[in-house]
Amino acid sequence: MAHVIDTQSGELLDNLPVDTRPRYAAFTPNGTQLWVSSEMRGSVTVFETASRKLLGKIDFAPLGDQVQPVGIAFARDGRRAYVALGRGNKVAEVDTVSRHILRSFGVGARAWHLALSPDERRLFTANGLSGDMSIVDLATGKARAVQLGGKPWGVAVSR
């Protein structure tokens, strides 16, 4: 479940059914949609924010049997979403209107979270099991790794 809570009163407004083991929730830049990743099912569930109506699901299984969606990042214009696919060692680029997977990028082991560069030309992923950060050139689709050590979980980019 994803729970909708009134931040002023603390009141539970709704419970939104999502697939198994939800890991991350993100609003589109214009705030009209809520995307919730479900690690175990390999999906992202999309809701219309105002009505909380289910708009659809994105199934990442075609990208491999190990995909486990975790982090989500949106382009500023809201037309693209990038989804870290955990054990799948990939990131998927999704058209937010059609909700179709456009392409995927190979990254380090267990990509958990991600962020776009300020110019949106590069995508950074924190790869927990390979102990590195991938930098994906979105024009070419090529990735390179920067060794960090440990088990990086997240990445933040300053605008």
Side-chain angles (χ1 to χ4, degrees):
M1 290 285 175
H3 307 285
V4 180
I5 299 168
D6 182 302
T7 58
Q8 295 298 313
S9 69
E11 177 186 348
L12 176 65
L13 300 176
D14 208 347
N15 293 309
L16 306 176
V18 297
D19 287 331
T20 309
R21 197 182 289 171
R23 282 294 180 227
Y24 193 78
F27 292 99
T28 54
N30 65 8
T32 62
Q33 294 181 7
L34 171 65
W35 288 40
V36 181
S37 66
S38 296
E39 185 180 36
M40 294 306 292
R41 173 58 182 84
S43 66
V44 168
T45 306
V46 181
F47 298 94
E48 196 272 327
T49 305
S51 67
R52 298 187 285 275
K53 174 186 169 193
L54 174 66
L55 295 176
K57 291 185 184 187
I58 304 160
D59 182 5
F60 294 93
L63 297 179
D65 61 351
Q66 293 291 314
V67 296
Q68 294 180 312
V70 185
I72 302 168
F74 292 99
R76 280 189 304 279
D77 66 8
R79 294 172 58 191
R80 296 285 185 267
Y82 298 90
V83 181
L85 298 176
R87 289 181 190 265
N89 305 336
K90 294 177 185 172
V91 169
E93 180 180 33
V94 179
D95 179 297
T96 59
V97 175
S98 68
R99 292 188 291 279
H100 289 121
I101 300 166
L102 300 172
R103 58 186 176 158
S104 64
F105 311 101
V107 295
R110 204 158 211 186
W112 280 324
H113 291 285
L114 56 148
L116 286 162
S117 64
D119 63 8
E120 297 188 344
R121 292 181 182 173
R122 291 174 311 283
L123 181 74
F124 303 92
T125 65
N127 308 312
L129 293 186
S130 54
D132 61 12
M133 174 181 67
S134 293
I135 303 171
V136 179
D137 180 316
L138 292 173
T140 66
K142 296 189 186 308
R144 66 183 177 92
V146 175
Q147 284 301 314
L148 303 174
K151 295 184 178 181
W153 178 84
V155 58
V157 176
S158 175
R159 298 218 185 255

